[in-house]
Amino acid sequence: MTTPASDAVALFEQLTGSTPAGVWSAPGRVNLIGEHTDYNDGFVLPFAIPHRTYAAVGTRDDGRIRVASTFTHDAVEVSLNELQTLFPTPTGSEPAVEEWAAYPLGVAWALQLAGATGTGVDIAIASDVPVGAGLSSSAAIEGATASALNDLWNAGLDRTALARIGRRSENEAVGAPTGIMDQMASMLGEADSAIFLDCRSLDANLVSVGVAEAGLAILVMDTRVKHAHSTGGYGERRAACERGAAIMGVPSLRDVSVDDLARAEGLMDDVTFRRVRHVVTENQRVLDTVQTLRENGARSIGDLLVASHASMRDDFEISVPELDTAVETALANGAIGARMTGGGFGGAAIALIEQSAVQDVTDAVTAAFAEKGFAAPNIFTVTPADGARRDS
Ligand code: GLA
């Protein structure tokens, strides 16, 4: 049976006729709670998932970098010297290379800007992280590539620094104005734990999720509605948050508390206020979720997940009918809590359910999608998994 790891090695061998110097991998992530809070200097609680992206990488002595992947036909090859002329991608433009290749090449570019240099490389990528599902397939590519180049170029950067390299690639090479949650989750993940991350200080603390011990499971319901964060809605939401913070006279919405909301409402238009209210209440929900998990366990966080979804649907307006259907159907079939996860406008929702209910909830959500004429969802369970690593 082939695996993404063996696929990456096979692709490398096909590309170069030799064996790779090593294989590095990084996972996708699910966010338990804390959405659109990362770029507001707020709090998030994601965990790495078992789905991973593998990069089989070898050096070459002609100063060129080539990236190939099993999900595209053509490899993209440029000289390492050329990278500084290819990136950054001007705001609003398409990257100078095919979008998928901008992720790994952008990582090499960002590493150069951080002072790292080294020989040319061939990079062959394979992955089982669903693409466009809101599960951070992009952060997984960045994490695997950054880990490989960090080792091969002896850059000596720590995990947080590599997460920043990944975000820089995503923001400035790909042109998606995202925060740092996905890259931090992919770099810092650990089995059985979620990462409670303060996105202002980048302080990260592991929080035991304890789902299995409680007899529970986390179901991912990928709606198959593809989202893209380099276009439209995501950037508009981010701009609304910046507007709200400016009106409140603070550097970011992290500095606005739930008690300030009454005052905020009088100062801004209704749409901006609702965007602000989502972020401010979501930050509080992350803090409450961490405390509840620590004191009472996973069974007690359901209401917080449900409130988070309602806030994204009604105040932040980033849900879609498929996500609402997944969440509502899971809840109607006994889920303890459910919410969309990730940037929104498509992608996946999660549900916290009894282990014994996995099949029933899967069937119910699948039937509800069919009834509404939606494409069939892709539904599977996940457990918190390890972050980026060298595999061989
Ligand atoms: C995407 C971005 C993250 C974060 C989430 C929303 O996944 O990449 O930085 O903003 O959306 O929470």
Side-chain angles (χ1 to χ4, degrees), residues 47-336:
F47 61 85
I49 58 175
H51 302 69
R52 302 181 76 85
T53 294
Y54 291 80
V57 186
T59 56
R60 48 193 279 174
D61 54 18
D62 60 358
R64 297 180 71 77
I65 177 167
R66 175 165 53 167
V67 291
S69 73
T70 53
F71 39 86
T72 46
H73 294 301
D74 299 319
V76 174
E77 184 181 324
V78 297
S79 133
L80 282 172
N81 292 332
E82 236 178 291
L83 285 175
Q84 297 300 326
T85 63
L86 288 179
F87 305 123
T89 300
T91 309
S93 311
E94 295 287 314
V97 295
E98 271 182 77
E99 186 178 291
W100 77 270
Y103 292 96
L105 292 180
V107 163
W109 164 77
L111 278 166
Q112 287 179 340
L113 288 178
T117 50
T119 61
V121 280
D122 286 305
I123 304 176
I125 293 170
S127 179
D128 64 1
V129 184
V131 172
L135 300 174
S136 297
S137 56
S138 50
I141 297 180
E142 291 151 9
T145 309
S147 302
L149 295 181
N150 187 46
D151 286 356
L152 292 172
W153 288 355
N154 292 316
L157 298 175
D158 67 18
R159 286 175 179 263
T160 300
L162 293 178
R164 287 182 196 272
I165 295 287
R167 178 183 52 173
R168 182 161 204 180
S169 169
E170 183 135 356
N171 289 170
E172 297 177 40
V174 179
T178 55
I180 199 160
M181 167 172 72
D182 306 345
Q183 292 79 12
M184 286 294 277
S186 185
M187 291 308 305
L188 298 180
E190 286 201 18
D192 303 325
S193 298
I195 300 150
F196 172 37
L197 177 68
D198 177 336
C199 298
R200 174 166 274 168
S201 64
L202 294 190
D203 273 354
N205 285 288
L206 296 178
V207 179
S208 167
V209 186
V211 164
E213 295 93 296
L216 301 176
I218 296 172
L219 204 61
V220 172
M221 304 171 285
D222 172 10
T223 63
R224 293 224 163 100
V225 178
K226 299 284 179 215
H227 73 94
H229 295 323
S230 46
T231 48
Y234 187 97
E236 275 170 28
R237 295 306 182 279
R238 189 167 178 155
C241 293
E242 282 160 13
R243 202 162 59 234
I247 293 170
M248 294 300 286
V250 291
S252 74
L253 292 182
R254 160 69 173 272
D255 303 303
V256 179
S257 74
V258 173
D259 291 342
D260 296 326
L261 285 174
R263 186 166 60 91
E265 188 164 18
L267 293 176
M268 54 190 82
D269 64 274
D270 174 61
V271 170
T272 309
F273 173 65
R274 286 187 293 113
R275 305 300 188 245
V276 168
R277 182 166 61 187
H278 164 71
V279 172
V280 170
T281 58
E282 186 79 348
N283 271 330
Q284 187 59 47
R285 280 186 290 270
V286 176
L287 298 176
D288 292 347
T289 302
V290 169
Q291 190 182 352
T292 305
L293 272 176
R294 286 180 172 150
E295 289 174 3
N296 306 310
R299 243 170 224 285
S300 306
I301 65 169
D303 291 348
L304 290 161
L305 302 184
V306 173
S308 172
H309 186 77
S311 178
M312 289 188 283
R313 183 191 58 212
D314 302 335
D315 274 356
F316 219 59
E317 296 180 282
I318 53 172
S319 191
V320 295
E322 288 83 349
L323 287 166
D324 292 339
T325 299
V327 167
E328 283 156 22
T329 309
L331 291 172
N333 285 272
I336 289 167

